Amino acid sequence: MPVRTTGGTGPVATTKPAPRDTDETVSDEPTPPVTDKGPGPDDARHLNSPLLLTLLLLTAVMLQDPIRGALSAPVMQSWMTVFVAVMVQALPFLVLGVLLSAAIAVFVPPSFFARALPKRPALAVPVAGAAGVVLPGCECASVPVAGALVRRGVTPAAALAFLLSAPAINPIVLTATAVAFPGNPEMVLARFVASLLVACVMGWLWHRLGRTDWLRPPDRPSYEGRGRGAAFWGSVRHDVMHAGGFLVVGAMAAATLKAVVPEEWLRVAAGHPVLSVLALAVLAVLLSICSEADAFVAASLTQFSLTARLTFLVVGPMIDLKLFAMQAGTFGRAFALRFAPATFALAVVVSALTGTVLL
């Protein structure tokens, strides 16, 4: 029955319907409709986290014998060896580059670079390339530092020259090259000259032919209103997570290709002068060895000529799988797809000519 109210401000009178002559209990609350929508968001979240992890662990336990057999295969052992080696060699220098990048972004004012580099990009390129001598790191360290230079207003041509030269002409790399080739001290000079030439020429080419829409400025979260310490560590965390992910992808690709390339191909290529140069150039890209360690690998390839091994040392620090992945993640895929092939071709030509003259 409807509710009846009294006029004015009197009390509200209600009349309840008489209970039905059944055994059911009458409730004042409405009965929710029955739907068949399945589990809600909370259930999905519950299924996607601990339960999913538990299922994966149980699956791994049940399949431990096949997994152990697969991992014990020679191909998988070679894959794991290369992957772990690339990561162990690269991570310390990646962290170094991230720390330098954060320091540049937080503590160095933009006016410093305006004073340190020449106004004209054509002159700023060789100065930035020669400045690569001061960074004791490998290519994993140079990428975030070059990204920080671009963010701070440095002309991209100069930043790219620094990116290419720093991993190849810094004191640690040159010292390692001298130790690896004790009977050929001219290899140190040849590596320095060829690497610096490639870096400068690529910088000039980018200044002349590069387009702004090809290079995406590196993203960086805003830390305005926060102290320098908080901004520094926030920048470090951002770059480690960003560049580290692409480093893992590159290391996995290098390990996969290394595991499937037959060694017989190298022995055949070593007997041909031109083919040996191209073979070691491609091998440098595939192996993705840190520039601090590549001289010892090159020294072990005694079946190849010194010029071919110089090509290995020049190409590797400038373009390999992990470096391509990191460049694509930092500056964009459009940049990496144009910059990497041009760098590879120029590095092969310059190293072959330099080796012919100096070696």
Side-chain angles (χ1 to χ4, degrees):
M1 293 179 64
V3 176
R4 180 173 55 85
T5 62
T6 61
T9 59
V12 178
T14 60
T15 304
K16 294 183 179 180
R20 290 176 295 178
D21 188 15
T22 60
D23 295 337
E24 296 178 356
T25 302
V26 178
S27 174
D28 292 334
E29 299 179 357
T31 303
V34 179
T35 59
D36 188 19
K37 294 183 179 180
D42 293 339
D43 295 332
R45 190 181 300 112
H46 179 71
L47 291 174
N48 289 337
S49 50
L51 182 57
L52 181 59
L53 179 59
T54 302
L55 291 175
L56 290 175
L57 292 176
L58 289 176
T59 303
V61 170
M62 290 186 295
L63 300 177
Q64 57 178 323
D65 290 336
I67 292 175
R68 188 183 298 111
L71 293 178
S72 62
V75 173
M76 285 304 302
Q77 290 181 351
S78 175
W79 189 95
M80 291 296 296
T81 300
V82 174
F83 176 77
V84 173
V86 170
M87 293 299 298
V88 169
Q89 290 173 358
L91 273 177
F93 299 101
L94 173 64
V95 173
L96 173 63
V98 165
L99 293 175
L100 290 175
S101 172
I104 291 173
V106 175
F107 299 107
V108 180
S111 59
F112 170 81
F113 301 104
R115 297 192 303 267
L117 293 175
K119 299 292 185 182
R120 298 178 58 184
L123 297 178
V125 166
V127 173
V133 175
V134 302
L135 178 65
C138 70
E139 57 272 22
C140 299
S142 65
V143 172
V145 174
L149 294 176
V150 173
R151 283 193 301 269
R152 303 302 275 178
V154 174
T155 177
L160 296 178
F162 176 86
L163 182 150
L164 295 178
S165 67
I169 65 173
N170 69 74
I172 295 178
V173 169
L174 296 180
T175 301
T177 305
V179 173
F181 292 89
N184 304 101
E186 65 274 11
M187 182 67 80
V188 179
L189 177 62
R191 182 174 193 177
F192 177 86
V193 171
S195 300
L196 186 58
L197 280 176
V198 174
C200 293
V201 172
M202 281 303 302
W204 287 323
L205 286 176
W206 185 265
H207 173 64
R208 185 72 176 176
L209 305 175
R211 289 166 41 182
T212 56
D213 59 333
W214 290 349
L215 189 145
R216 181 192 67 198
D219 295 329
R220 174 59 59 95
S222 176
Y223 299 104
E224 295 181 1
R226 301 172 61 179
R228 286 192 170 185
F232 176 80
W233 290 114
S235 177
V236 168
R237 288 192 298 269
H238 174 270
D239 280 354
V240 165
M241 296 300 296
H242 188 255
F246 288 98
L247 172 61
V248 171
V249 172
M252 292 176 65
T256 301
L257 291 173
K258 172 63 173 64
V260 300
V261 174
E263 295 184 3
E264 291 77 8
W265 293 5
L266 297 180
R267 289 194 291 267
V268 173
H272 194 282
V274 177
L275 189 58
S276 63
V277 170
L278 296 176
L280 286 195
V282 174
L283 186 64
V285 175
L286 300 182
L287 291 182
S288 302
I289 301 174
C290 181
S291 60
E292 270 73 15
D294 62 356
F296 299 97
V297 177
S300 66
L301 300 173
T302 54
Q303 67 269 42
F304 289 90
S305 64
L306 287 177
T307 299
R309 285 183 277 178
L310 174 64
T311 304
F312 181 89
L313 296 178
V314 174
V315 171
M318 295 187 175
I319 175 61
D320 58 29
L321 291 178
K322 69 177 186 299
L323 185 57
F324 176 83
M326 294 176 67
Q327 289 178 357
T330 302
F331 298 109
R333 186 171 57 181
F335 165 81
L337 290 176
R338 292 171 172 84
F339 189 75
T343 303
F344 176 83
L346 183 64
V348 171
V349 173
V350 171
S351 59
L353 294 176
T354 304
T356 302
V357 174
L358 298 180
L359 301 178

